[in-house]
Amino acid sequence: MKIPAGLYLAYLFQFLIAANVLLAFALGEYSQVFTGVIALGLTLVPAVATRRWNITLPWQVNLLIVLSLYLHIAGEIRGFYMLYYPYYDKIAHLISGITVSVLAFVIVLLLDRFSRLNLSRWMIVGFVIIAAMAMEGFWEIYEWLFDTFLGTNLQYGLDDTMLDMIFVLVGSVIVALAGNRHLSRFSKEEITGRLVIPKGPPAK
C-alpha cells in the first residue's frame, strides 16, 4: 500500500520535534526537554490507536497532530513565540484549535456509531466547539500554573489569553462548519467509514 506524501511530512515534523528536544538538552533547558518528550510521545498516539483498535486514521489527522505539537515545541525551545510575537502564537493556536476540533469530530462520530448514541447533527457540531474550547481552557490553566510556580513566561496578560481563546474558537468553528456541511450531504456512517475504517475486532 502506497504511503501518502503527507505522511512523510508528518514524519519530518516528528524528526524536528526530536531535534528540538536534543537542542533543549544541550542548552540545559530540562523543563523543555520534558515537554518535548511528552509531545514526541503524543505524536505516536495515532499509531498506537491504529494497532490497538484496528482502525486507520486519515494521514491528515496525523499531520495536524504532529504539526500542532511541533509549533509549540519549536516556539518554546527556539524562541519563535517571542521572536515572531504575536503572529506565531496566534497561528499556533488557530492550528491547535483546528486539530483538537478534527479529533473531537472523529471521536464523537465513533462514540455515536459504536455506543449507539444517535446524536443529532447539531449535537455533534456543538460537541466539536465545546471540546476545543475546553481543551484551550485547560491549556491556559497549564500555562498559568507554570508561570506561577515554575517562573516561566508563557502568558503575556489578559489580552493575549483572550486572543488565544478566540483563535482556537475560530479554528473550531471552521471545523464545525465543515463537519456540518458533510453531515448534511452524507450519513454519519458514511463519514465514519471515510475517517476511521474498522479493520476488525479490538485487540485483547
Side-chain angles (χ1 to χ4, degrees), residues 29-59:
E29 299 288 344
Y30 299 117
S31 63
Q32 299 298 342
V33 171
F34 175 76
T35 303
V37 170
I38 295 297
L40 194 59
L42 290 174
T43 66
L44 302 176
V45 169
V48 173
T50 296
R51 294 184 180 182
R52 177 64 180 85
W53 290 290
N54 292 321
I55 59 176
T56 301
L57 291 173
W59 65 263

PDB file of all heavy atoms in Angstrom, residues 29-59:
ATOM      1  N   GLU A  29      17.984  23.181  29.100  1.00  0.00           N
ATOM      2  CA  GLU A  29      16.580  23.545  29.342  1.00  0.00           C
ATOM      3  C   GLU A  29      15.787  22.267  29.604  1.00  0.00           C
ATOM      4  O   GLU A  29      15.036  21.792  28.762  1.00  0.00           O
ATOM      5  CB  GLU A  29      16.014  24.294  28.135  1.00  0.00           C
ATOM      6  CG  GLU A  29      16.718  25.587  27.815  1.00  0.00           C
ATOM      7  CD  GLU A  29      16.396  26.670  28.842  1.00  0.00           C
ATOM      8  OE1 GLU A  29      15.422  26.510  29.604  1.00  0.00           O
ATOM      9  OE2 GLU A  29      17.125  27.683  28.875  1.00  0.00           O
ATOM     10  N   TYR A  30      15.956  21.730  30.812  1.00  0.00           N
ATOM     11  CA  TYR A  30      15.415  20.405  31.082  1.00  0.00           C
ATOM     12  C   TYR A  30      13.888  20.371  31.175  1.00  0.00           C
ATOM     13  O   TYR A  30      13.276  19.346  30.890  1.00  0.00           O
ATOM     14  CB  TYR A  30      16.041  19.844  32.355  1.00  0.00           C
ATOM     15  CG  TYR A  30      17.545  19.712  32.229  1.00  0.00           C
ATOM     16  CD1 TYR A  30      18.404  20.452  33.055  1.00  0.00           C
ATOM     17  CD2 TYR A  30      18.114  18.886  31.263  1.00  0.00           C
ATOM     18  CE1 TYR A  30      19.778  20.359  32.921  1.00  0.00           C
ATOM     19  CE2 TYR A  30      19.487  18.774  31.123  1.00  0.00           C
ATOM     20  CZ  TYR A  30      20.316  19.518  31.953  1.00  0.00           C
ATOM     21  OH  TYR A  30      21.674  19.434  31.807  1.00  0.00           O
ATOM     22  N   SER A  31      13.269  21.485  31.560  1.00  0.00           N
ATOM     23  CA  SER A  31      11.807  21.527  31.569  1.00  0.00           C
ATOM     24  C   SER A  31      11.277  21.424  30.139  1.00  0.00           C
ATOM     25  O   SER A  31      10.250  20.778  29.887  1.00  0.00           O
ATOM     26  CB  SER A  31      11.304  22.817  32.225  1.00  0.00           C
ATOM     27  OG  SER A  31      11.721  23.959  31.488  1.00  0.00           O
ATOM     28  N   GLN A  32      12.005  22.046  29.186  1.00  0.00           N
ATOM     29  CA  GLN A  32      11.618  21.947  27.789  1.00  0.00           C
ATOM     30  C   GLN A  32      11.878  20.553  27.231  1.00  0.00           C
ATOM     31  O   GLN A  32      11.158  20.082  26.348  1.00  0.00           O
ATOM     32  CB  GLN A  32      12.363  22.999  26.957  1.00  0.00           C
ATOM     33  CG  GLN A  32      12.079  24.427  27.359  1.00  0.00           C
ATOM     34  CD  GLN A  32      10.611  24.790  27.181  1.00  0.00           C
ATOM     35  OE1 GLN A  32       9.880  24.116  26.462  1.00  0.00           O
ATOM     36  NE2 GLN A  32      10.184  25.854  27.831  1.00  0.00           N
ATOM     37  N   VAL A  33      12.916  19.906  27.748  1.00  0.00           N
ATOM     38  CA  VAL A  33      13.183  18.511  27.353  1.00  0.00           C
ATOM     39  C   VAL A  33      12.007  17.638  27.757  1.00  0.00           C
ATOM     40  O   VAL A  33      11.519  16.819  26.967  1.00  0.00           O
ATOM     41  CB  VAL A  33      14.483  17.990  28.013  1.00  0.00           C
ATOM     42  CG1 VAL A  33      14.627  16.483  27.764  1.00  0.00           C
ATOM     43  CG2 VAL A  33      15.688  18.732  27.469  1.00  0.00           C
ATOM     44  N   PHE A  34      11.534  17.832  28.986  1.00  0.00           N
ATOM     45  CA  PHE A  34      10.394  17.051  29.477  1.00  0.00           C
ATOM     46  C   PHE A  34       9.171  17.286  28.604  1.00  0.00           C
ATOM     47  O   PHE A  34       8.503  16.344  28.173  1.00  0.00           O
ATOM     48  CB  PHE A  34      10.098  17.434  30.924  1.00  0.00           C
ATOM     49  CG  PHE A  34       8.864  16.784  31.485  1.00  0.00           C
ATOM     50  CD1 PHE A  34       8.873  15.452  31.870  1.00  0.00           C
ATOM     51  CD2 PHE A  34       7.684  17.511  31.613  1.00  0.00           C
ATOM     52  CE1 PHE A  34       7.723  14.847  32.378  1.00  0.00           C
ATOM     53  CE2 PHE A  34       6.539  16.921  32.113  1.00  0.00           C
ATOM     54  CZ  PHE A  34       6.558  15.587  32.491  1.00  0.00           C
ATOM     55  N   THR A  35       8.883  18.570  28.318  1.00  0.00           N
ATOM     56  CA  THR A  35       7.728  18.902  27.479  1.00  0.00           C
ATOM     57  C   THR A  35       7.877  18.307  26.085  1.00  0.00           C
ATOM     58  O   THR A  35       6.915  17.789  25.504  1.00  0.00           O
ATOM     59  CB  THR A  35       7.570  20.430  27.369  1.00  0.00           C
ATOM     60  OG1 THR A  35       7.450  20.993  28.683  1.00  0.00           O
ATOM     61  CG2 THR A  35       6.349  20.794  26.556  1.00  0.00           C
ATOM     62  N   GLY A  36       9.090  18.378  25.532  1.00  0.00           N
ATOM     63  CA  GLY A  36       9.331  17.842  24.198  1.00  0.00           C
ATOM     64  C   GLY A  36       9.160  16.342  24.134  1.00  0.00           C
ATOM     65  O   GLY A  36       8.627  15.815  23.145  1.00  0.00           O
ATOM     66  N   VAL A  37       9.617  15.637  25.162  1.00  0.00           N
ATOM     67  CA  VAL A  37       9.468  14.180  25.197  1.00  0.00           C
ATOM     68  C   VAL A  37       7.987  13.805  25.259  1.00  0.00           C
ATOM     69  O   VAL A  37       7.538  12.866  24.584  1.00  0.00           O
ATOM     70  CB  VAL A  37      10.232  13.588  26.391  1.00  0.00           C
ATOM     71  CG1 VAL A  37       9.875  12.115  26.583  1.00  0.00           C
ATOM     72  CG2 VAL A  37      11.740  13.735  26.184  1.00  0.00           C
ATOM     73  N   ILE A  38       7.225  14.552  26.069  1.00  0.00           N
ATOM     74  CA  ILE A  38       5.785  14.307  26.141  1.00  0.00           C
ATOM     75  C   ILE A  38       5.144  14.531  24.771  1.00  0.00           C
ATOM     76  O   ILE A  38       4.319  13.739  24.308  1.00  0.00           O
ATOM     77  CB  ILE A  38       5.125  15.233  27.186  1.00  0.00           C
ATOM     78  CG1 ILE A  38       5.630  14.893  28.595  1.00  0.00           C
ATOM     79  CG2 ILE A  38       3.607  15.116  27.115  1.00  0.00           C
ATOM     80  CD1 ILE A  38       5.290  13.503  29.065  1.00  0.00           C
ATOM     81  N   ALA A  39       5.539  15.630  24.110  1.00  0.00           N
ATOM     82  CA  ALA A  39       4.990  15.940  22.787  1.00  0.00           C
ATOM     83  C   ALA A  39       5.334  14.844  21.784  1.00  0.00           C
ATOM     84  O   ALA A  39       4.490  14.426  20.980  1.00  0.00           O
ATOM     85  CB  ALA A  39       5.522  17.288  22.305  1.00  0.00           C
ATOM     86  N   LEU A  40       6.579  14.379  21.831  1.00  0.00           N
ATOM     87  CA  LEU A  40       7.003  13.316  20.913  1.00  0.00           C
ATOM     88  C   LEU A  40       6.182  12.051  21.160  1.00  0.00           C
ATOM     89  O   LEU A  40       5.799  11.349  20.213  1.00  0.00           O
ATOM     90  CB  LEU A  40       8.490  13.037  21.092  1.00  0.00           C
ATOM     91  CG  LEU A  40       9.171  12.200  20.008  1.00  0.00           C
ATOM     92  CD1 LEU A  40       9.029  12.870  18.641  1.00  0.00           C
ATOM     93  CD2 LEU A  40      10.647  11.997  20.345  1.00  0.00           C
ATOM     94  N   GLY A  41       5.925  11.776  22.433  1.00  0.00           N
ATOM     95  CA  GLY A  41       5.094  10.614  22.759  1.00  0.00           C
ATOM     96  C   GLY A  41       3.678  10.752  22.224  1.00  0.00           C
ATOM     97  O   GLY A  41       3.094   9.791  21.718  1.00  0.00           O
ATOM     98  N   LEU A  42       3.134  11.965  22.302  1.00  0.00           N
ATOM     99  CA  LEU A  42       1.778  12.198  21.813  1.00  0.00           C
ATOM    100  C   LEU A  42       1.671  12.001  20.304  1.00  0.00           C
ATOM    101  O   LEU A  42       0.615  11.613  19.795  1.00  0.00           O
ATOM    102  CB  LEU A  42       1.313  13.605  22.190  1.00  0.00           C
ATOM    103  CG  LEU A  42       1.030  13.845  23.677  1.00  0.00           C
ATOM    104  CD1 LEU A  42       0.719  15.322  23.922  1.00  0.00           C
ATOM    105  CD2 LEU A  42      -0.129  12.971  24.152  1.00  0.00           C
ATOM    106  N   THR A  43       2.766  12.273  19.579  1.00  0.00           N
ATOM    107  CA  THR A  43       2.716  12.077  18.127  1.00  0.00           C
ATOM    108  C   THR A  43       2.586  10.601  17.760  1.00  0.00           C
ATOM    109  O   THR A  43       2.229  10.271  16.626  1.00  0.00           O
ATOM    110  CB  THR A  43       3.975  12.645  17.436  1.00  0.00           C
ATOM    111  OG1 THR A  43       5.135  11.887  17.847  1.00  0.00           O
ATOM    112  CG2 THR A  43       4.181  14.115  17.771  1.00  0.00           C
ATOM    113  N   LEU A  44       2.881   9.725  18.709  1.00  0.00           N
ATOM    114  CA  LEU A  44       2.799   8.290  18.447  1.00  0.00           C
ATOM    115  C   LEU A  44       1.418   7.722  18.754  1.00  0.00           C
ATOM    116  O   LEU A  44       1.150   6.562  18.452  1.00  0.00           O
ATOM    117  CB  LEU A  44       3.853   7.550  19.286  1.00  0.00           C
ATOM    118  CG  LEU A  44       5.309   7.973  19.055  1.00  0.00           C
ATOM    119  CD1 LEU A  44       6.223   7.220  20.012  1.00  0.00           C
ATOM    120  CD2 LEU A  44       5.722   7.734  17.614  1.00  0.00           C
ATOM    121  N   VAL A  45       0.554   8.545  19.363  1.00  0.00           N
ATOM    122  CA  VAL A  45      -0.779   8.074  19.745  1.00  0.00           C
ATOM    123  C   VAL A  45      -1.581   7.540  18.557  1.00  0.00           C
ATOM    124  O   VAL A  45      -2.203   6.471  18.668  1.00  0.00           O
ATOM    125  CB  VAL A  45      -1.550   9.186  20.486  1.00  0.00           C
ATOM    126  CG1 VAL A  45      -3.024   8.807  20.661  1.00  0.00           C
ATOM    127  CG2 VAL A  45      -0.908   9.452  21.842  1.00  0.00           C
ATOM    128  N   PRO A  46      -1.605   8.238  17.397  1.00  0.00           N
ATOM    129  CA  PRO A  46      -2.361   7.674  16.268  1.00  0.00           C
ATOM    130  C   PRO A  46      -1.891   6.277  15.865  1.00  0.00           C
ATOM    131  O   PRO A  46      -2.720   5.407  15.560  1.00  0.00           O
ATOM    132  CB  PRO A  46      -2.103   8.694  15.145  1.00  0.00           C
ATOM    133  CG  PRO A  46      -1.845   9.977  15.852  1.00  0.00           C
ATOM    134  CD  PRO A  46      -1.078   9.585  17.079  1.00  0.00           C
ATOM    135  N   ALA A  47      -0.578   6.051  15.876  1.00  0.00           N
ATOM    136  CA  ALA A  47      -0.056   4.731  15.505  1.00  0.00           C
ATOM    137  C   ALA A  47      -0.474   3.678  16.530  1.00  0.00           C
ATOM    138  O   ALA A  47      -0.837   2.549  16.172  1.00  0.00           O
ATOM    139  CB  ALA A  47       1.465   4.778  15.392  1.00  0.00           C
ATOM    140  N   VAL A  48      -0.439   4.067  17.815  1.00  0.00           N
ATOM    141  CA  VAL A  48      -0.857   3.140  18.873  1.00  0.00           C
ATOM    142  C   VAL A  48      -2.340   2.824  18.746  1.00  0.00           C
ATOM    143  O   VAL A  48      -2.759   1.664  18.857  1.00  0.00           O
ATOM    144  CB  VAL A  48      -0.551   3.736  20.259  1.00  0.00           C
ATOM    145  CG1 VAL A  48      -1.134   2.855  21.365  1.00  0.00           C
ATOM    146  CG2 VAL A  48       0.952   3.896  20.453  1.00  0.00           C
ATOM    147  N   ALA A  49      -3.146   3.860  18.476  1.00  0.00           N
ATOM    148  CA  ALA A  49      -4.592   3.659  18.326  1.00  0.00           C
ATOM    149  C   ALA A  49      -4.886   2.760  17.132  1.00  0.00           C
ATOM    150  O   ALA A  49      -5.782   1.905  17.180  1.00  0.00           O
ATOM    151  CB  ALA A  49      -5.287   5.006  18.154  1.00  0.00           C
ATOM    152  N   THR A  50      -4.106   2.940  16.071  1.00  0.00           N
ATOM    153  CA  THR A  50      -4.307   2.122  14.876  1.00  0.00           C
ATOM    154  C   THR A  50      -4.095   0.648  15.173  1.00  0.00           C
ATOM    155  O   THR A  50      -4.877  -0.208  14.747  1.00  0.00           O
ATOM    156  CB  THR A  50      -3.341   2.571  13.762  1.00  0.00           C
ATOM    157  OG1 THR A  50      -3.658   3.915  13.388  1.00  0.00           O
ATOM    158  CG2 THR A  50      -3.456   1.673  12.543  1.00  0.00           C
ATOM    159  N   ARG A  51      -3.053   0.355  15.937  1.00  0.00           N
ATOM    160  CA  ARG A  51      -2.755  -1.046  16.253  1.00  0.00           C
ATOM    161  C   ARG A  51      -3.672  -1.601  17.338  1.00  0.00           C
ATOM    162  O   ARG A  51      -4.101  -2.755  17.273  1.00  0.00           O
ATOM    163  CB  ARG A  51      -1.298  -1.178  16.689  1.00  0.00           C
ATOM    164  CG  ARG A  51      -0.310  -0.868  15.572  1.00  0.00           C
ATOM    165  CD  ARG A  51       1.122  -1.104  16.015  1.00  0.00           C
ATOM    166  NE  ARG A  51       2.061  -0.802  14.942  1.00  0.00           N
ATOM    167  CZ  ARG A  51       3.370  -0.954  15.046  1.00  0.00           C
ATOM    168  NH1 ARG A  51       3.903  -1.394  16.180  1.00  0.00           N
ATOM    169  NH2 ARG A  51       4.162  -0.651  14.018  1.00  0.00           N
ATOM    170  N   ARG A  52      -3.962  -0.752  18.344  1.00  0.00           N
ATOM    171  CA  ARG A  52      -4.749  -1.234  19.483  1.00  0.00           C
ATOM    172  C   ARG A  52      -6.198  -1.516  19.101  1.00  0.00           C
ATOM    173  O   ARG A  52      -6.785  -2.515  19.509  1.00  0.00           O
ATOM    174  CB  ARG A  52      -4.686  -0.196  20.617  1.00  0.00           C
ATOM    175  CG  ARG A  52      -5.523  -0.546  21.848  1.00  0.00           C
ATOM    176  CD  ARG A  52      -5.000  -1.816  22.500  1.00  0.00           C
ATOM    177  NE  ARG A  52      -5.791  -2.157  23.664  1.00  0.00           N
ATOM    178  CZ  ARG A  52      -6.914  -2.851  23.645  1.00  0.00           C
ATOM    179  NH1 ARG A  52      -7.400  -3.280  22.489  1.00  0.00           N
ATOM    180  NH2 ARG A  52      -7.560  -3.131  24.756  1.00  0.00           N
ATOM    181  N   TRP A  53      -6.799  -0.611  18.334  1.00  0.00           N
ATOM    182  CA  TRP A  53      -8.218  -0.741  17.996  1.00  0.00           C
ATOM    183  C   TRP A  53      -8.456  -1.126  16.539  1.00  0.00           C
ATOM    184  O   TRP A  53      -9.597  -1.124  16.090  1.00  0.00           O
ATOM    185  CB  TRP A  53      -8.959   0.552  18.329  1.00  0.00           C
ATOM    186  CG  TRP A  53      -9.050   0.758  19.804  1.00  0.00           C
ATOM    187  CD1 TRP A  53      -9.794   0.042  20.701  1.00  0.00           C
ATOM    188  CD2 TRP A  53      -8.350   1.744  20.579  1.00  0.00           C
ATOM    189  NE1 TRP A  53      -9.612   0.513  21.978  1.00  0.00           N
ATOM    190  CE2 TRP A  53      -8.725   1.562  21.933  1.00  0.00           C
ATOM    191  CE3 TRP A  53      -7.447   2.772  20.257  1.00  0.00           C
ATOM    192  CZ2 TRP A  53      -8.237   2.360  22.962  1.00  0.00           C
ATOM    193  CZ3 TRP A  53      -6.956   3.560  21.292  1.00  0.00           C
ATOM    194  CH2 TRP A  53      -7.339   3.355  22.613  1.00  0.00           C
ATOM    195  N   ASN A  54      -7.375  -1.438  15.825  1.00  0.00           N
ATOM    196  CA  ASN A  54      -7.509  -1.880  14.437  1.00  0.00           C
ATOM    197  C   ASN A  54      -8.298  -0.900  13.583  1.00  0.00           C
ATOM    198  O   ASN A  54      -9.270  -1.264  12.912  1.00  0.00           O
ATOM    199  CB  ASN A  54      -8.171  -3.265  14.387  1.00  0.00           C
ATOM    200  CG  ASN A  54      -7.278  -4.342  14.953  1.00  0.00           C
ATOM    201  OD1 ASN A  54      -6.071  -4.330  14.742  1.00  0.00           O
ATOM    202  ND2 ASN A  54      -7.864  -5.264  15.692  1.00  0.00           N
ATOM    203  N   ILE A  55      -7.916   0.361  13.650  1.00  0.00           N
ATOM    204  CA  ILE A  55      -8.554   1.389  12.841  1.00  0.00           C
ATOM    205  C   ILE A  55      -7.485   2.122  12.042  1.00  0.00           C
ATOM    206  O   ILE A  55      -6.303   2.054  12.364  1.00  0.00           O
ATOM    207  CB  ILE A  55      -9.342   2.402  13.702  1.00  0.00           C
ATOM    208  CG1 ILE A  55      -8.405   3.078  14.710  1.00  0.00           C
ATOM    209  CG2 ILE A  55     -10.501   1.735  14.406  1.00  0.00           C
ATOM    210  CD1 ILE A  55      -9.058   4.153  15.538  1.00  0.00           C
ATOM    211  N   THR A  56      -7.909   2.799  11.012  1.00  0.00           N
ATOM    212  CA  THR A  56      -6.991   3.556  10.175  1.00  0.00           C
ATOM    213  C   THR A  56      -7.403   5.022  10.169  1.00  0.00           C
ATOM    214  O   THR A  56      -8.448   5.359   9.606  1.00  0.00           O
ATOM    215  CB  THR A  56      -6.979   3.019   8.736  1.00  0.00           C
ATOM    216  OG1 THR A  56      -6.592   1.649   8.753  1.00  0.00           O
ATOM    217  CG2 THR A  56      -5.999   3.806   7.879  1.00  0.00           C
ATOM    218  N   LEU A  57      -6.607   5.852  10.798  1.00  0.00           N
ATOM    219  CA  LEU A  57      -6.882   7.285  10.803  1.00  0.00           C
ATOM    220  C   LEU A  57      -6.336   7.915   9.522  1.00  0.00           C
ATOM    221  O   LEU A  57      -5.273   7.540   9.043  1.00  0.00           O
ATOM    222  CB  LEU A  57      -6.226   7.948  12.017  1.00  0.00           C
ATOM    223  CG  LEU A  57      -6.809   7.594  13.383  1.00  0.00           C
ATOM    224  CD1 LEU A  57      -5.941   8.191  14.485  1.00  0.00           C
ATOM    225  CD2 LEU A  57      -8.229   8.073  13.514  1.00  0.00           C
ATOM    226  N   PRO A  58      -7.034   8.886   8.972  1.00  0.00           N
ATOM    227  CA  PRO A  58      -6.524   9.579   7.787  1.00  0.00           C
ATOM    228  C   PRO A  58      -5.186  10.239   8.079  1.00  0.00           C
ATOM    229  O   PRO A  58      -4.949  10.721   9.190  1.00  0.00           O
ATOM    230  CB  PRO A  58      -7.607  10.629   7.501  1.00  0.00           C
ATOM    231  CG  PRO A  58      -8.828  10.135   8.188  1.00  0.00           C
ATOM    232  CD  PRO A  58      -8.345   9.393   9.394  1.00  0.00           C
ATOM    233  N   TRP A  59      -4.306  10.287   7.086  1.00  0.00           N
ATOM    234  CA  TRP A  59      -2.987  10.878   7.308  1.00  0.00           C
ATOM    235  C   TRP A  59      -3.090  12.349   7.681  1.00  0.00           C
ATOM    236  O   TRP A  59      -2.207  12.888   8.376  1.00  0.00           O
ATOM    237  CB  TRP A  59      -2.114  10.695   6.070  1.00  0.00           C
ATOM    238  CG  TRP A  59      -2.584  11.418   4.840  1.00  0.00           C
ATOM    239  CD1 TRP A  59      -3.326  10.905   3.823  1.00  0.00           C
ATOM    240  CD2 TRP A  59      -2.337  12.787   4.494  1.00  0.00           C
ATOM    241  NE1 TRP A  59      -3.570  11.861   2.866  1.00  0.00           N
ATOM    242  CE2 TRP A  59      -2.974  13.027   3.245  1.00  0.00           C
ATOM    243  CE3 TRP A  59      -1.649  13.835   5.100  1.00  0.00           C
ATOM    244  CZ2 TRP A  59      -2.935  14.270   2.615  1.00  0.00           C
ATOM    245  CZ3 TRP A  59      -1.604  15.075   4.469  1.00  0.00           C
ATOM    246  CH2 TRP A  59      -2.236  15.291   3.246  1.00  0.00           C
TER     247      TRP A  59
END
